């Protein structure tokens, strides 16, 4: 993907030279561990065994699944040739996300019960879309559609990739061309905007798609680009930009908390999704940079429950490269409603407290409050209720690990060390490449006139490509 930019070509060459024979999760040449996105074989076997044994809270989580109208084997797909999301178009993306969640929920229900009717339904939905869909279009929101529904599509398909009737190659082609390529392009060019134009969740949605698509399609260079962007990307989804300040109390300011609660929750859920998928292939991003994500998730959890959190004022620049420009400043965390929730917390809390044996008070509290987590269709009919696949109480509840928690530099115990993990870092997608396509002011972030990025605090100055001047407060760790 994005061969014209020079990024993919160099990345692929570097990976090939450094990796030699593939070692990811002990699989064959060039392939990743499957299933290996949000759920591994061990995860799926645990869910089935716990539900069969009548163990809490798995049974409560499974009850949420079986009660959801999307998790029924009678679901009939409505594939569209072109999906539109955004203003000025005949929007029909609600059809897509409802069908994706039906495919995922039926596939998950199959793995818990062993009843093949649910797997057959999931396969029928996925095959219908891969034989029909030709494009994902719309305003700037098409990038949200590609990112969100791309990673979700990949996760649904991963659960039935070995089904005899599943058209794997055709689905891989659709996923790669219509979703992965669009998301990959967004992370390089940002729709012709300055790199800070789009808030954190835009980057994270597309990062999740690039990673999930790369794993599903066994594209090692693509996975390397996604992992490198998480660590070193210029946009707001990169971890040090999404969490720009770490305070003395161990909380890490979530940048989008200065925007609103809904988008902050979306971002935390997407970063958790990204970290979980990476973990299952041997990349520990949960622990990266002294568990920086833990600090950001704790911050959002405390704030969402009504707690007081510190906030450092920030300004981000927005606009099109060579076109209109502006800036936006946020000075405090937005108001938070303790009743607002998304099905994101069980996955994150269980990783830190059970896999790693770490203390995470606010995550523990908010996960308990949100339990048992449902999924798409349980959190309202609008798109926000379908941004996460959900069912974390069923899928991610686990017993505390008995081994000593590994360091952030160690490979995942769920997978053997990946060749990508030892390869030389892949060059980050440069914002200079984004300057090749001039943006249109009326097609930048249809969901908000000021999609931004660049923040001003009291110390440290860093310059990002595209003319973005970032003034960032240094943390105690020198970040």
């Amino acid at each position: 993907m994005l061969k014209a930019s020079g990024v993919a070509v160099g990345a692929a060459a570097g990976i090939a030279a450094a990796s030699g024979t593939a070692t990811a999760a002990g699989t064959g040449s060039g392939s990743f561990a499957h299933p290996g996105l949000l759920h591994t074989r061990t995860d799926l076997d645990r869910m089935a065994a716990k539900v069969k044994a009548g163990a809490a809270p798995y049974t409560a989580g499974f009850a949420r699944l079986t009660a959801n109208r999307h998790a029924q084997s009678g679901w009939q797909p409505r594939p569209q040739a072109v999906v539109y999301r955004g203003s000025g178009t005949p929007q029909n993306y609600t059809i897509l996300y409802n069908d994706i969640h039906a495919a995922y929920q039926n596939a998950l229900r199959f793995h818990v019960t062993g009843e093949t009717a649910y797997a057959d339904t999931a396969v029928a939905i996925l095959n219908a879309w891969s034989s029909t869909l030709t494009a994902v279009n719309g305003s700037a929101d098409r990038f949200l559609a590609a990112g969100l529904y791309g990673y979700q599509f990949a996760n649904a398909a991963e659960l039935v990739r070995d089904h005899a009737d599943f058209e794997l190659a055709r689905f891989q082609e659709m996923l790669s061309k219509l979703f992965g390529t669009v998301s990959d392009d967004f992370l390089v060019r940002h729709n012709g905007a300055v790199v800070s134009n789009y808030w954190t969740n835009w980057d994270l949605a597309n990062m999740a798609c690039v990673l999930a698509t790369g794993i599903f399609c066994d594209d090692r260079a693509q996975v390397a680009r996604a992992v490198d962007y998480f660590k070193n990307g210029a946009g707001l989804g990169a971890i040090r930009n999404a969490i720009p300040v770490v305070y003395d109390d161990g909380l890490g300011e979530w940048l989008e908390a200065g925007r609103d609660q809904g988008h902050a929750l979306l971002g935390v859920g997407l970063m958790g999704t990204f970290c979980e998928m990476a973990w299952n292939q041997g990349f520990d991003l949960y622990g990266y940079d002294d568990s920086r994500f833990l600090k950001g998730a704790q911050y959002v959890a405390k704030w969402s429950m009504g707690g007081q959190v510190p906030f450092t004022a920030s300004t981000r620049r927005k606009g099109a490269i060579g076109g209109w420009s502006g800036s936006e400043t946020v000075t405090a965390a937005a108001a938070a409603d303790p009743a607002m929730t998304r099905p994101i917390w069980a996955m994150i809390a269980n990783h830190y407290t059970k896999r790693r044996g770490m203390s995470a008070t606010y995550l523990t509290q908010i996960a308990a409050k949100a339990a048992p987590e449902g999924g798409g269709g349980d959190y309202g009919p609008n798109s926000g209720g379908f941004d996460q696949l959900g069912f974390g109480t069923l899928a991610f509840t686990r017993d505390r690990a008995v081994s000593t928690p590994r360091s952030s530099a160690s490979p995942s115990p769920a997978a053997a060390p990946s060749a990508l993990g030892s390869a030389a870092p892949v060059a980050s997608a440069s914002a200079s490449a984004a300057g090749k396509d001039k943006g249109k002011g009326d097609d930048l972030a249809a969901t908000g006139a000021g999609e931004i990025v660049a923040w001003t605090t009291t110390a440290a100055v860093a310059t990002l490509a595209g003319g973005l001047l970032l003034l960032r407060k240094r943390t105690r760790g020198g970040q």
Side-chain angles (χ1 to χ4, degrees):
M1 296 180 188
L2 298 179
K3 293 180 181 178
S5 72
V7 175
V9 175
I15 293 300
S19 64
T21 58
T23 60
T27 59
S29 176
S31 63
F32 289 98
H34 300 293
L37 289 177
L38 284 174
H39 314 301
T40 65
R41 172 54 55 195
T42 299
D43 294 333
L44 296 169
D45 290 347
R46 180 184 64 248
M47 294 179 225
K50 292 289 190 180
V51 170
K52 183 178 180 179
Y58 301 91
T59 50
F62 184 61
R64 292 296 305 266
L65 176 64
T66 59
N68 194 302
R69 71 183 186 90
H70 296 79
Q72 311 308 315
S73 60
W75 186 276
Q76 296 296 314
R78 293 194 293 155
Q80 307 292 303
V82 181
V83 166
Y84 297 94
R85 176 168 177 166
S87 60
T89 58
Q91 294 194 97
N92 61 351
Y93 69 101
T94 60
I95 298 172
L96 174 61
Y97 66 65
N98 275 281
D99 275 1
I100 291 174
H101 282 256
Y104 172 77
Q105 292 179 27
N106 271 276
L108 192 62
R109 190 168 182 177
F110 158 70
H111 280 285
V112 175
T113 66
E115 297 178 43
T116 58
Y118 299 110
D120 293 343
T121 297
V123 168
I125 296 169
L126 299 170
N127 284 346
W129 278 92
S130 68
S131 67
T132 305
L133 188 64
T134 62
V136 177
N137 290 337
S139 65
D141 280 16
R142 69 189 182 277
F143 294 108
L144 286 177
L148 292 169
Y149 311 136
Y151 95 77
Q152 293 176 1
F153 243 154
N155 271 277
E158 182 78 349
L159 294 179
V160 294
R161 68 182 294 136
D162 294 330
H163 192 287
D165 296 330
F166 180 52
E167 296 288 347
L168 175 61
R170 190 176 72 197
F171 194 89
Q172 287 176 319
E173 182 178 13
M174 178 201 72
L175 189 65
S176 178
K177 289 184 177 180
L178 304 186
F179 294 88
T181 299
V182 174
S183 289
D184 220 338
D185 183 76
F186 179 83
L187 296 178
V188 173
R189 308 181 197 282
H190 284 89
N191 197 29
V194 295
V195 71
S196 58
N197 185 77
Y198 291 95
W199 282 106
T200 301
N201 73 88
W202 287 73
D203 260 16
L204 286 169
N206 287 284
M207 290 161 61
C209 177
V210 171
L211 179 63
T213 302
I215 294 170
F216 187 82
C217 297
D218 291 315
D219 186 334
R220 304 182 70 77
Q222 183 174 334
V223 171
R225 293 197 300 277
V227 171
D228 182 72
Y229 196 96
F230 176 92
K231 298 177 180 179
N232 305 307
L236 295 188
I239 187 161
R240 293 187 187 90
N241 296 340
I243 307 170
V245 182
V246 172
Y247 294 98
D248 290 345
D249 61 0
L251 296 180
E253 180 177 312
W254 190 263
L255 179 68
E256 216 159 357
R259 182 187 184 190
D260 61 61
Q261 184 184 8
H263 286 99
L265 292 174
L266 168 59
V268 169
L270 288 170
M271 187 170 282
T273 294
F274 190 93
C275 290
E276 185 69 18
M277 294 188 297
W279 173 275
N280 286 333
Q281 297 298 335
F283 301 94
D284 183 5
L285 302 181
Y286 276 117
Y288 182 74
D289 196 14
D290 194 25
S291 297
R292 196 179 189 95
F293 177 47
L294 169 62
K295 299 167 186 177
Q298 284 266 89
Y299 178 100
V300 174
K302 179 180 181 181
W303 165 61
S304 290
M305 291 187 292
Q308 295 296 311
V309 291
F311 193 88
T312 301
S314 60
T315 298
R316 68 181 181 99
R317 185 181 170 190
K318 57 184 180 179
I321 296 174
W324 67 277
S325 63
S327 64
E328 181 177 0
T329 299
V330 289
T331 59
D337 178 4
M340 182 183 293
T341 188
R342 286 176 180 260
I344 64 175
W345 299 111
M347 176 174 62
I348 304 168
N350 272 276
H351 173 81
Y352 287 112
T353 66
K354 299 298 180 63
R355 276 191 182 137
R356 302 194 101 106
M358 300 172 72
S359 175
T361 302
Y362 302 116
L363 284 176
T364 301
Q365 291 175 356
I366 202 167
K369 182 180 177 182
E373 289 181 352
D378 292 324
Y379 298 88
N382 298 324
S383 61
F386 291 82
D387 286 341
Q388 283 84 30
L389 290 168
F391 300 105
T393 305
L394 168 66
F396 302 110
T397 299
R398 60 186 75 246
D399 297 326
R400 185 180 294 273
V402 296
S403 59
T404 302
R406 62 197 175 95
S407 70
S408 62
S410 302
S412 167
S418 167
L420 291 174
S422 60
V426 179
S428 176
S430 67
S432 60
K436 295 179 180 179
D437 294 356
K438 304 300 182 183
K440 297 180 180 179
D442 60 355
D443 194 34
L444 293 175
T447 57
E451 306 308 320
I452 348 169
V453 163
W455 41 101
T456 304
T457 57
T458 58
V461 178
T463 303
L464 295 179
L468 172 65
L469 188 64
L470 201 58
L471 298 163
R472 185 185 297 169
K473 178 178 179 180
R474 293 189 183 275
T475 65
R476 295 178 65 195
Q479 305 299 335

